[in-house]
C-alpha cells in the first residue's frame, strides 16, 4: 500500500495560481520518485473567495485544510479587495486561517546561495554565506488584540491591543530553541523590552525556558538594533525568535539580504506535524497574469512541507538541490536577473526544476 498524504491547495489571488501550478508539478514528480500518493484538494481563499463565496475564508476551505495533512497556500489580496481590508482582519482570510488551524510557529529561512550573491543589493562580503532563520510567533500579539475606532475629544482615535500570554511565549520560544539546537546553537530573542510590557514578559519567559537548553547560546536584542544588525552584519545570526509584528518586518528585511522576496519560503506550524506552507511574498498584482513570477519560493515551501510535515527529508533535499542547480546553470526569473532581457518565465523555471529533479543535467 502506497503511503498517502492529503494536501490542501489554496492558490489564492494574483500570482498565487501561477506559482502554485509549478509547485504542484514538482510535487507530482516527487510522488512518482518516492512511490507515495499526494491527494491534492483545492480550496478558495482571499479575494477570489470574496468574489465567489462572499467571504475570504469559506467554511469549506477551513474544512478541506483541517482534513489535510498539510496545506499549500499561494498568496492573497490585491487592489480590488484591499480598499476594504476585511480579509486581513483576524477572524477572516489569511489571519483567520492561521488562527483556525492553530499555526503559531512561522519559520522563515533566509539562506544566501553562492550563485545568488550578485542578486543582493548589499555588498557580496556582507551577504555571502548568510544562513539564518526567523522564527515568528504567528497567532498572537498586536495582530490579534482587540481593535477599536471611536471619536475622542481631539478627533478620531484608533486602538490595537498587544497581548501575550506566558504559554504563547513559551511555546514559540521553545520552537526557537529546538530549531537552534539543530543548527549552530545560537538563538537571538528579539523584543522591545525597554518600552513594551509584553516584551518584558517575553524576555522573562525566554530566560526561564533557556534553562532547558544549556547547549544553546541565548542573547537578547532590541528590535531596532536587530533591524540595523541584519543589514550591517547578517552573518552573526543563526536563529532569531520574535513576536508576530517584529517577525513580519524582520523577515521581509532578511528576505532582501538573499536577493528577492520571490525566493523566500515559509512554514507555519501547529503543534505536531501539521503545517501550512507559503511563500513569504504576496500576490504581486503588478506582475499577475504575465507568466513572469518567480515560483521558487513556493517550490521551496513545498520542500519544507516534505521535510517538516511528511518527514521526507531526502525528497526535500532533492527538490532544494534541483532549485540550486537551475540557479547555478544561470537561469533567472525577472526579479533575480541581472539582465532582465535574458529572464525566463514562471513555467520555464518550473519545467527546469522538474528536469533537474528528474536527474537531467541542466544546460547553461
Ligand atoms: N502571504 C500573503 O498572502 C501576503 C503577503 C504579503 C502581502 N500580501 C498581499 O499581497 C498584495 C500585494 O502586496 P505587496 O505588493 O505589498 O507585496 P508583494 O510581495 O505581493 O510584492 C512586492 C514586490 O515584489 C514583487 N514580487 C513578489 N513576489 C514575487 C515573485 N514570486 N516573483 C517576482 N516578483 C515578486 C512584486 O512584483 C512587487 O513588486 C497585497 O494585497 C498584500 O496585502 C499577501
Ligand atoms: C498579508 C499580511 C497579513 C501578512 C502578515 O503580516 O502576516 C504578510 O505580510 C506575511 O508576512 O505573511
Ligand atoms: Mg509580511
Amino acid at each position: 500500500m502506497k503511503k498517502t498524504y492529503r494536501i490542501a491547495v489554496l492558490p489564492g489571488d494574483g500570482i498565487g495560481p501561477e506559482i502554485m501550478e509549478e509547485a504542484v508539478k514538482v510535487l507530482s514528480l516527487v510522488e512518482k520518485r518516492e512511490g507515495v500518493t499526494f491527494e491534492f484538494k483545492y480550496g478558495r481563499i482571499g479575494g477570489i473567495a470574496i468574489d465567489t463565496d462572499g467571504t475570504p475564508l469559506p467554511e469549506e476551505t477551513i474544512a478541506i485544510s483541517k482534513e489535510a495533512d498539510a496545506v499549500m497556500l499561494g498568496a492573497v489580496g490585491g487592489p480590488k479587495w484591499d480598499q476594504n481590508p476585511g480579509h486581513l482582519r483576524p477572524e477572516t482570510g489569511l489571519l483567520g486561517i492561521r488562527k483556525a488551524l492553530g499555526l503559531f510557529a512561522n519559520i522563515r529561512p533566509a539562506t544566501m546561495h553562492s550563485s545568488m550573491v550578485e542578486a543582493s543589493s548589499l555588498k557580496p562580503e556582507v551577504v555571502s554565506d548568510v544562513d539564518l532563520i526567523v522564527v515568528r510567533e504567528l497567532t498572537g500579539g498586536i495582530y490579534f488584540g482587540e481593535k477599536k475606532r471611536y471619536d475622542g475629544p481631539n478627533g478620531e482615535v484608533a486602538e490595537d491591543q498587544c497581548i501575550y500570554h506566558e504559554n504563547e511565549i513559551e511555546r514559540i520560544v521553545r520552537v526557537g530553541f529546538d530549531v537552534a539546537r539543530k543548527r549552530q546553537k545560537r538563538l537571538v530573542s528579539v523584543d522591545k523590552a525597554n518600552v513594551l510590557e509584553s516584551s518584558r514578559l517575553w524576555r522573562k519567559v525566554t530566560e526561564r525556558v533557556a534553562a532547558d537548553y544549556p547547549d544553546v547560546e541565548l542573547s537578547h536584542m532590541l528590535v531596532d538594533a536587530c533591524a540595523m544588525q541584519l543589514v550591517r552584519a547578517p552573518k552573526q545570526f543563526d536563529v532569531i525568535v520574535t513576536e508576530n509584528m517584529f517577525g513580519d518586518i524582520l523577515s521581509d528585511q532578511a528576505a532582501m539580504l538573499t536577493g528577492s522576496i520571490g525566493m523566500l519560503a515559509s512554514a507555519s506550524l501547529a503543534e505536531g506535524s501539521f503545517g501550512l506552507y507559503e511563500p513569504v511574498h504576496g500576490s504581486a498584482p503588478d506582475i499577475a497574469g504575465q507568466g513572469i513570477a518567480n515560483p521558487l519560493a513556493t517550490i521551496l515551501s513545498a520542500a519544507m512541507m516534505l521535510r517538516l510535515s511528511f518527514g521526507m527529508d531526502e525528497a526535500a533535499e532533492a527538490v532544494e538541490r534541483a532549485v540550486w542547480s537551475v540557479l547555478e546553470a544561470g537561469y533567472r526569473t525577472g526579479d533575480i536577473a541581472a539582465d532582465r532581457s535574458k529572464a525566463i518565465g514562471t513555467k520555464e523555471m518550473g519545467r527546469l526544476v522538474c528536469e533537474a529533479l528528474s536527474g537531467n543535467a541542466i544546460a547553461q
Side-chain angles (χ1 to χ4, degrees):
M1 238 323 243
K2 279 191 190 174
K3 181 125 182 63
T4 299
Y5 297 96
R6 289 158 304 172
I7 304 173
V9 182
L10 314 179
D13 306 315
I15 60 169
E18 301 168 47
I19 53 180
M20 189 59 78
E21 203 179 312
E22 301 314 309
V24 168
K25 278 185 206 158
V26 170
L27 285 170
S28 303
L29 206 59
V30 170
E31 200 181 10
K32 289 198 199 86
R33 260 178 63 113
E34 302 294 317
V36 294
T37 302
F38 291 146
E39 252 175 43
F40 298 106
K41 212 165 193 183
Y42 284 74
R44 292 179 297 277
I45 192 165
I48 172 112
I50 295 180
D51 290 351
T52 53
D53 303 64
T55 164
L57 184 57
E59 283 299 322
E60 188 192 302
T61 301
I62 299 179
I64 291 172
S65 303
K66 282 189 173 166
E67 280 161 18
D69 298 305
V71 182
M72 286 289 305
L73 184 115
V76 294
K80 182 175 169 198
W81 309 283
D82 284 354
Q83 290 93 358
N84 170 13
H87 69 286
L88 296 180
R89 294 232 169 89
E91 64 280 16
T92 58
L94 195 52
L95 303 188
I97 198 164
R98 289 173 181 168
K99 197 74 169 178
L101 302 179
L103 306 169
F104 70 95
N106 187 211
I107 315 281
R108 295 185 164 184
T111 307
M112 173 56 90
H113 191 261
S114 53
S115 64
M116 287 291 297
V117 172
E118 87 286 355
S120 176
S121 43
L122 296 182
K123 290 190 192 125
E125 60 270 29
V126 174
V127 291
S128 61
D129 303 325
V130 162
D131 179 16
L132 62 89
I133 293 188
V134 177
V135 175
R136 168 189 176 195
E137 200 291 323
L138 203 59
T139 51
I142 200 163
Y143 274 57
F144 289 91
E146 199 181 335
K147 298 176 193 317
K148 280 190 200 155
R149 283 283 274 276
Y150 49 90
D151 291 322
N154 302 311
E156 223 184 334
V157 184
E159 285 181 24
D160 293 283
Q161 201 176 30
C162 180
I163 297 188
Y164 266 111
H165 298 264
E166 214 173 326
N167 62 331
E168 288 176 317
I169 301 172
E170 176 164 349
R171 65 182 181 176
I172 189 69
V173 166
R174 282 194 184 279
V175 172
F177 275 109
D178 288 336
V179 171
R181 187 169 254 179
K182 294 198 196 107
R183 293 169 46 97
Q184 293 173 43
K185 301 185 170 38
R186 285 185 290 114
L187 180 68
V188 178
S189 170
V190 173
D191 60 38
K192 188 73 185 172
N194 53 346
V195 177
L196 300 178
E197 209 48 49
S198 51
S199 281
R200 286 194 266 271
L201 180 62
W202 183 280
R203 209 173 264 218
K204 181 179 147 193
V205 173
T206 306
E207 283 294 336
R208 175 165 55 73
V209 173
D212 294 341
Y213 296 85
D215 52 322
V216 178
E217 180 196 312
L218 168 71
S219 56
H220 301 279
M221 201 179 273
L222 296 173
V223 63
D224 45 353
C226 181
M228 182 270 285
Q229 292 294 347
L230 265 175
V231 180
R232 194 188 72 87
K235 278 184 250 187
Q236 70 184 281
F237 295 102
D238 177 22
V239 181
I240 291 172
V241 66
T242 191
E243 61 96 71
N244 203 344
M245 187 161 73
F246 298 160
D248 177 45
I249 298 165
L250 295 177
S251 60
D252 264 31
Q253 196 181 340
M256 280 321 288
L257 296 174
T258 63
S260 163
I261 200 159
M263 296 287 303
L264 267 283
S266 83
S268 304
L269 306 175
E271 306 277 4
S273 63
F274 184 82
L276 177 147
Y277 299 84
E278 59 172 328
V280 170
H281 62 74
S283 58
D286 53 336
I287 58 165
Q290 297 176 33
I292 59 170
N294 186 347
L296 294 181
T298 314
I299 291 172
L300 291 169
S301 300
M304 288 185 87
M305 174 182 75
L306 295 172
R307 179 179 290 117
L308 299 175
S309 279
F310 304 163
M312 296 171 68
D313 291 22
E314 277 175 29
E317 272 158 38
V319 171
E320 286 160 359
R321 270 199 313 274
V323 167
W324 303 137
S325 70
V326 171
L327 292 171
E328 268 154 26
Y331 293 99
R332 301 280 187 273
T333 43
D335 57 314
I336 50 175
D339 178 356
R340 279 186 175 241
S341 67
K342 292 202 185 119
I344 60 168
T346 313
K347 281 190 192 303
E348 181 63 359
M349 185 55 100
R351 189 189 67 74
L352 285 165
V353 173
C354 287
E355 284 282 321
L357 187 58
S358 306
N360 299 329
I362 302 300
Q364 308 247 331

